[in-house]
């Protein structure tokens, strides 16, 4: 009886693990109303360097490139995501695939380290792309890109990708807002920015921020979230690196007459 019980237990454990693995492999995005939309699976790539640098402070780290990205049944969307990743790399020898991106990064380190035998640092590349919001004819993805190739510190950027999977085209901010409403949107954004940063309505923006000529502008980085229109300034964009990213959210109830109706109703 013990042997039968053990086999039965192992069988059901195998079924459970297989089910869990499938759930990790293939996912369905959730829109803002909780309805299933685009189905995708997540692919993972990791390439390790064969070159081991001299230990630093007793610690040895290996250079690696790690990439995690969704694969949709929509080829146009897949191609557009890949194009966004390629834009981060040299256009003289453009990569042709995610695998090529990882291989090229590690190869670049290996060549550099081989020529500089006393170099003690390792490099890293970490790319993660994942859906963060979607409904009917809209999907937004967060593309997080972190890397280190020497220097005082690495770089870290979050890029929001907006796409219409029905018409298969990228979406700009002008596509989402009513004609002639950009000035009103910017003014609204500045009000919220000043409130978040605890600034008065007249306090100049030249002291603490990098706005050109002290004039407030919204970043090109945005997406429609569950609470409204989300904007993100990456490090160095308006503040020093040490201050990191700055998020600005304009609530839906303040976007009436600005955000087009089909996107404004996403709040429901």
């Amino acid at each position: 009886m013990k042997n039968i019980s053990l086999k039965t237990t192992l069988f059901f454990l195998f079924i459970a693990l297989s089910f869990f693995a499938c759930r990790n492999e293939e996912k369905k995005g959730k829109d803002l109303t909780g309805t299933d939309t685009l189905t995708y699976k997540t692919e993972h790539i990791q390439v390790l360097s064969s070159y081991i640098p001299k230990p630093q402070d007793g610690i040895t780290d290996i250079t690696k490139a790690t990439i995690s990205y969704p694969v949709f049944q929509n080829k146009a969307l897949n191609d557009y995501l890949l194009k966004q990743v390629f834009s981060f790399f040299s256009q003289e020898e453009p990569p042709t695939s995610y695998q090529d991106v990882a291989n090229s990064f590690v190869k670049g380190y290996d060549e550099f380290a081989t020529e500089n035998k006393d170099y003690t640092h390792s490099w890293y590349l970490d790319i993660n792309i994942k859906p963060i919001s979607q409904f009917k004819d809209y999907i937004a993805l967060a593309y997080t890109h972190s890397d280190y190739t020497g220097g005082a510190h690495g770089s870290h950027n979050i890029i929001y990708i907006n796409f219409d999977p029905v018409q298969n085209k990228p979406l700009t901010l002008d596509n989402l807002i009513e004609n002639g409403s950009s000035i009103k949107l910017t003014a609204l954004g500045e009000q919220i920015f000043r409130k978040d940063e605890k600034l008065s309505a007249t306090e100049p923006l030249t002291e603490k921020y990098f706005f050109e000529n002290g004039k407030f502008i919204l970043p090109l980085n945005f997406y429609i979230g569950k609470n409204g229109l989300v904007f993100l300034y990456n490090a160095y964009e308006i503040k020093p690196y040490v201050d990191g990213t700055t998020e600005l959210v304009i609530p839906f109830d303040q976007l009436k007459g600005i955000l087009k109706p089909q996107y404004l109703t996403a709040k429901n």
Side-chain angles (χ1 to χ4, degrees):
M1 291 295 292
K2 289 184 179 181
N3 289 337
I4 295 175
S5 177
L6 178 59
K7 289 181 179 179
T8 303
T9 301
L10 291 175
F11 172 77
F12 282 109
L13 179 60
F14 172 77
I15 294 297
L17 289 174
S18 298
F19 175 73
F20 179 75
C22 291
R23 288 177 61 86
N24 274 335
E25 179 66 17
E26 186 165 325
K27 305 175 183 178
K28 285 186 177 181
K30 295 288 184 179
D31 71 4
L32 298 180
T33 63
T35 305
D36 288 338
T37 51
L38 295 177
T39 300
Y40 66 93
K41 63 179 181 179
T42 301
E43 297 286 350
H44 303 279
I45 293 173
Q46 185 176 76
V47 177
L48 302 177
S49 171
S50 59
Y51 186 92
I52 301 177
K54 294 181 179 180
Q56 186 179 28
D57 298 326
I59 300 175
T60 300
D61 198 7
I62 297 176
T63 288
K64 63 181 178 181
T66 305
I67 303 177
S68 177
Y69 60 97
V71 178
F72 296 90
Q73 294 180 353
N74 186 320
K75 183 178 183 300
L77 176 55
N78 292 332
D79 291 344
Y80 184 69
L81 293 178
L82 192 57
K83 184 178 179 181
Q84 301 312 297
V85 174
F86 288 174
S87 68
F88 263 82
F89 298 90
S90 172
Q91 298 305 305
E92 295 180 1
E93 296 182 11
T96 58
S97 66
Y98 289 105
Q99 186 69 56
D100 192 21
V101 168
N103 291 341
S104 297
F105 181 84
V106 172
K107 180 182 177 182
Y109 171 80
D110 289 346
E111 292 175 350
F112 177 83
T114 300
E115 295 175 0
N116 299 270
K117 299 293 186 180
D118 295 328
Y119 191 70
T120 59
H121 295 282
S122 59
W123 294 357
Y124 66 80
L125 171 66
D126 188 2
I127 291 175
N128 183 280
I129 304 174
K130 62 180 180 180
I132 52 175
S133 178
Q134 55 177 315
F135 52 90
K136 195 178 178 181
D137 54 357
Y138 173 86
I139 181 170
L141 304 100
Y143 166 25
T144 304
H145 184 116
S146 301
D147 64 51
Y148 176 77
T149 56
H153 53 73
S155 66
H156 178 81
N157 290 280
I158 301 173
I159 296 90
Y160 296 133
I161 298 171
N162 297 266
F163 196 84
D164 181 338
V166 177
Q167 299 188 48
N168 286 328
K169 66 177 185 179
L171 295 169
T172 66
L173 185 58
D174 286 340
N175 296 140
L176 305 183
I177 64 176
E178 300 285 4
N179 291 334
S181 63
S182 59
I183 295 177
K184 185 178 179 180
L185 179 64
T186 300
L188 184 57
E190 182 171 2
Q191 291 177 14
I192 295 174
F193 178 83
R194 287 180 175 276
K195 181 180 179 180
D196 291 346
E197 297 290 311
K198 297 178 173 57
L199 302 172
S200 70
T202 58
E203 191 170 347
L205 299 175
T206 53
E207 296 293 327
K208 302 178 182 178
Y209 309 99
F210 302 155
F211 291 112
E212 187 174 357
N213 299 320
K215 183 179 180 180
F216 176 85
I217 60 171
L218 289 169
L220 298 176
N221 216 9
F222 68 91
Y223 76 97
I224 301 174
K226 63 179 180 180
N227 297 317
L229 198 51
V230 181
F231 291 91
L232 185 76
Y233 299 93
N234 278 296
Y236 280 137
E237 197 167 351
I238 60 167
K239 296 179 182 178
Y241 178 84
V242 67
D243 290 331
T245 59
T246 301
E247 184 179 86
L248 189 160
V249 181
I250 302 180
F252 283 115
D253 59 6
Q254 298 185 47
L255 290 168
K256 294 178 181 178
I258 298 177
L259 200 62
K260 289 181 179 178
Q262 65 265 39
Y263 302 117
L264 187 61
T265 55
K267 67 178 180 179
N268 298 319

